[in-house]
Amino acid sequence: MPSAPGSGISGSVRLKYVKLGYQYLVNHFLTLLLVPVMAAAALELLRLGPDELLNLWRSLHLDLVHILCSAFLVVFVATVYFMSRPRPVYLVDYCCYKPSPSFRVPFTTFMEHIKLISNNEKSLRFQTRILERSGLGEETCLPPANHYIPPSPSMEAARAEAQLVIFNAIDDLVLRTGLKPKDIDILVVNCSLFSPTPSLSAMIINRYKLRSNIRSFNLSGMGCSAGLISIDLARDMLQVHPNSNALVISTEIITPNFYHGSRRDMLLPNCLFRMGAAAILLSNRRREASRAKYRLMHVVRTHKGADDRAYRCVYEEEDDEGHSGISLSKELMAIAGEALKSNITTMGPLVLPMSEQLLFFFRLVGRKVINKKWKPYIPDFKLAFEHFCIHAGGRAVIDELQKNLDLSPRHVEASRMTLHRFGNTSSSSLWYELAYIEAKGRMRKGDRVWQIGFGSGFKCNSAVWKCLRAVKTPTDGPWDDCIQRYPVHIPEVVKL
């Protein structure tokens, strides 16, 4: 017999309220337990008269020595606690490089260049199909050297791109924060595929005349997740160096990495990667807390490099004709899923409410003891975070995480729109996504942000930030001239 109209809806509504009730009960268990106890104790004290309270105090037999010893013990324990706890790390502000419109590469321009560079019809059709399904828009940008026919990937051109994107991002950050060169104590730069001598960090020190005793680091070869590795390194340095500022630069230099061959697994980066950079100012100075945007809560890093499949799924090599490039394995998404699973297993206990942790634990025990065929419980991370910044590595990456984490289209909107407007800017993409959320005016005090990055090796890294103040909608930044147009509809296939 068919069910009555609306019975399915009413059942789902009842189930929703049952789950909400369960979450409230578990998450506030201690409060619900202690309130009646405290109320009973208060009523008992109110029932006692002044004489009975005085006799109770005298019965404790406290003298001056006991009181002083107790006070000393309390002060000692409090001192040890405050001295041993981690120093807070604040994100004062950040800026993203905004490419000039002259660097834009519409689909038609890109494909025309490919036709003129390569005579391989199969490669041309393959790259056309990739672009049609990539999720990229018509305003993504490539550096000047890649606009030449053929591209001119010289050392001089690569340095010019590095100076362009990095110096512009730093200049904007200096203008926005009033940062002075002498105020920078720690410098961390990450760029995977371009590692010149002197290093990019030395280039920055030379340009801005930074102090001679600055602690500088240059990370290379660590893939698209290197931005969060840089944040983790800066955090560790700020834990051991009090009253310090750390400048973190995340970028990828595209100029020397254009692939000229015809191997399909090595042509993908040509279609997806675009120019970009971000400059981030971190600090552990207490006085910066009042103007800082965010506080760093957690960083969780997962490295699957011990597995040969994971190690080789993103691999720089030469093809049979001697052309160097980055090959992307067909197993990439499966390996990324495994890395994400390991990462959230560590992240979950740090951020999830107790209600979700208990459900995860009971399902895990049930699978071990009762039935191994039970599906594993996927925690609802929407209860832990208001905003998600998923590395805009490609449409498939965003789709997979949206499915696995059961996220709504709004939760992945920043990632999809960043991919559409700027392409895959590697490690800096997370900051373009955060800038999108701010430009939309969605960031509120107390909001929590989860940044998720994937990179070669294979790595999955996460960072959790807590918003310290209501972030005003910025009037500058990478989205200032186009945010009113977003979000846009991105079709599954754009016919070229």
Side-chain angles (χ1 to χ4, degrees):
M1 181 177 179
S3 58
S7 61
I9 297 176
S10 62
S12 63
V13 169
R14 286 196 296 270
L15 182 61
K16 173 185 175 182
Y17 282 109
V18 167
K19 187 173 182 180
L20 288 174
Y22 161 76
Q23 292 168 356
Y24 186 86
L25 177 64
V26 174
N27 296 337
H28 300 85
F29 178 75
L30 286 178
T31 303
L32 297 174
L33 181 66
L34 290 176
V35 166
V37 174
M38 293 173 65
L43 290 174
E44 184 64 21
L45 288 174
L46 290 174
R47 191 180 61 81
L48 298 176
D51 294 336
E52 291 172 304
L53 289 174
L54 186 60
N55 291 334
L56 179 63
W57 172 258
R58 288 172 177 171
S59 66
L60 296 176
H61 300 294
L62 294 176
D63 55 24
L64 183 61
V65 175
H66 287 123
I67 294 174
L68 290 176
C69 288
S70 300
F72 174 78
L73 180 62
V74 171
V75 172
F76 176 76
V77 171
T79 302
V80 170
Y81 169 74
F82 284 108
M83 292 294 290
S84 61
R85 69 175 183 170
R87 291 188 176 93
V89 175
Y90 303 107
L91 194 165
V92 180
D93 215 329
Y94 66 96
C95 286
C96 299
Y97 167 70
K98 182 180 177 181
S100 167
S102 62
F103 298 152
R104 291 179 182 175
V105 185
F107 291 158
T108 52
T109 302
F110 184 87
M111 295 314 303
E112 182 182 3
H113 280 214
I114 297 300
K115 288 179 183 178
L116 294 173
I117 293 169
S118 173
N119 295 322
N120 191 316
E121 190 65 29
K122 290 183 178 179
S123 295
L124 179 62
R125 288 199 301 269
F126 175 75
Q127 291 180 82
T128 301
R129 289 198 303 271
I130 294 298
L131 273 181
E132 289 176 340
R133 294 161 176 80
S134 65
L136 273 67
E138 298 278 5
E139 297 179 285
T140 62
C141 296
L142 285 172
N146 289 42
H147 289 258
Y148 288 98
I149 303 175
S152 175
S154 65
M155 174 63 75
E156 182 182 359
R159 283 188 189 275
E161 182 194 349
Q163 292 170 355
L164 175 69
V165 299
I166 293 175
F167 293 165
N168 269 275
I170 295 177
D171 289 346
D172 290 343
L173 184 64
V174 167
L175 185 64
R176 184 179 293 184
T177 62
L179 182 68
K180 298 178 181 178
K182 66 181 180 62
D183 294 330
I184 302 174
D185 306 282
I186 300 162
L187 174 64
V188 184
V189 182
N190 69 265
C191 178
S192 288
L193 296 172
F194 180 59
S195 185
T197 300
S199 66
L200 296 178
S201 59
M203 181 185 77
I204 295 170
I205 292 171
N206 175 259
R207 166 64 181 262
Y208 294 95
K209 310 304 177 188
L210 303 185
R211 298 184 343 225
S212 61
N213 64 341
I214 190 170
R215 299 170 181 87
S216 65
F217 303 87
N218 199 98
L219 307 181
S220 63
M222 305 197 79
C224 299
S225 68
L228 297 183
I229 296 174
S230 296
I231 294 294
D232 189 37
L233 175 57
R235 179 193 64 169
D236 290 344
M237 294 297 296
L238 289 171
Q239 291 305 312
V240 296
H241 297 289
N243 199 37
S244 298
N245 289 327
L247 177 62
V248 176
I249 307 297
S250 290
T251 188
E252 189 57 77
I253 304 306
I254 306 299
T255 296
N257 299 302
F258 185 87
Y259 175 62
H260 293 268
S262 58
R263 261 181 55 178
R264 292 189 174 188
D265 59 334
M266 299 174 74
L267 285 169
L268 285 168
N270 287 358
C271 301
L272 299 176
F273 282 87
R274 298 294 185 264
M275 64 191 303
I280 305 101
L281 177 60
L282 303 178
S283 180
N284 60 12
R285 297 179 179 179
R286 293 285 180 180
R287 63 175 178 269
E288 296 289 2
S290 59
R291 69 166 181 157
K293 285 184 174 181
Y294 306 94
R295 177 176 175 179
L296 181 60
M297 306 304 294
H298 307 287
V299 177
V300 175
R301 292 169 57 181
T302 301
H303 204 308
K304 308 294 284 188
D307 177 35
D308 290 343
R309 291 168 51 251
Y311 174 69
R312 294 191 63 92
C313 71
V314 181
Y315 203 77
E316 185 175 15
E317 58 183 336
E318 293 180 340
D319 63 15
D320 295 336
E321 298 175 354
H323 299 297
S324 62
I326 306 296
S327 65
L328 303 180
S329 168
K330 292 180 179 179
E331 298 180 283
L332 178 60
M333 293 313 304
I335 292 167
E338 294 170 7
L340 176 66
K341 188 184 300 182
S342 299
N343 191 266
I344 64 176
T345 300
T346 305
M347 174 68 74
L350 299 175
V351 299
L352 287 171
M354 187 57 66
S355 59
E356 289 298 298
Q357 294 190 45
L358 286 177
L359 286 173
F360 179 81
F361 174 75
F362 290 148
R363 181 62 65 90
L364 181 64
V365 172
R367 293 184 71 207
K368 296 287 185 181
V369 178
I370 302 174
N371 189 346
K372 293 183 179 180
K373 294 183 179 180
W374 283 6
K375 291 184 179 180
Y377 179 72
I378 304 300
D380 187 359
F381 280 94
K382 298 187 292 294
L383 298 174
F385 304 106
E386 285 73 32
H387 308 286
F388 296 80
C389 294
I390 299 166
H391 168 53
R395 170 177 259 162
V397 175
I398 302 171
D399 288 345
E400 191 70 16
L401 263 72
Q402 181 180 5
K403 176 183 174 182
N404 289 343
L405 298 177
D406 192 26
L407 302 179
S408 69
R410 186 179 174 91
H411 286 128
V412 297
E413 180 183 310
S415 301
R416 292 196 189 280
M417 298 307 111
T418 295
L419 181 65
H420 181 270
R421 173 62 181 85
F422 296 100
N424 180 355
T425 61
S426 190
S427 58
S428 64
S429 67
L430 299 175
W431 302 103
Y432 286 89
E433 294 165 22
L434 189 60
Y436 178 88
I437 297 170
E438 292 182 2
K440 279 295 182 182
R442 297 173 183 172
M443 193 64 68
R444 300 288 183 267
K445 181 178 180 180
D447 283 1
R448 296 152 299 179
V449 184
W450 185 11
Q451 292 181 319
I452 312 171
F454 297 93
S456 58
F458 187 84
K459 298 178 286 292
C460 175
N461 300 321
S462 294
V464 177
W465 303 88
K466 184 176 182 180
C467 185
L468 299 178
R469 58 180 172 86
V471 178
K472 296 180 180 179
T473 303
T475 56
D476 56 358
W479 297 93
D480 62 346
D481 63 344
C482 61
I483 191 63
Q484 70 279 356
R485 303 200 311 263
Y486 284 89
V488 297
H489 172 66
I490 304 175
E492 290 294 323
V493 179
V494 178
K495 283 296 180 182
L496 298 182

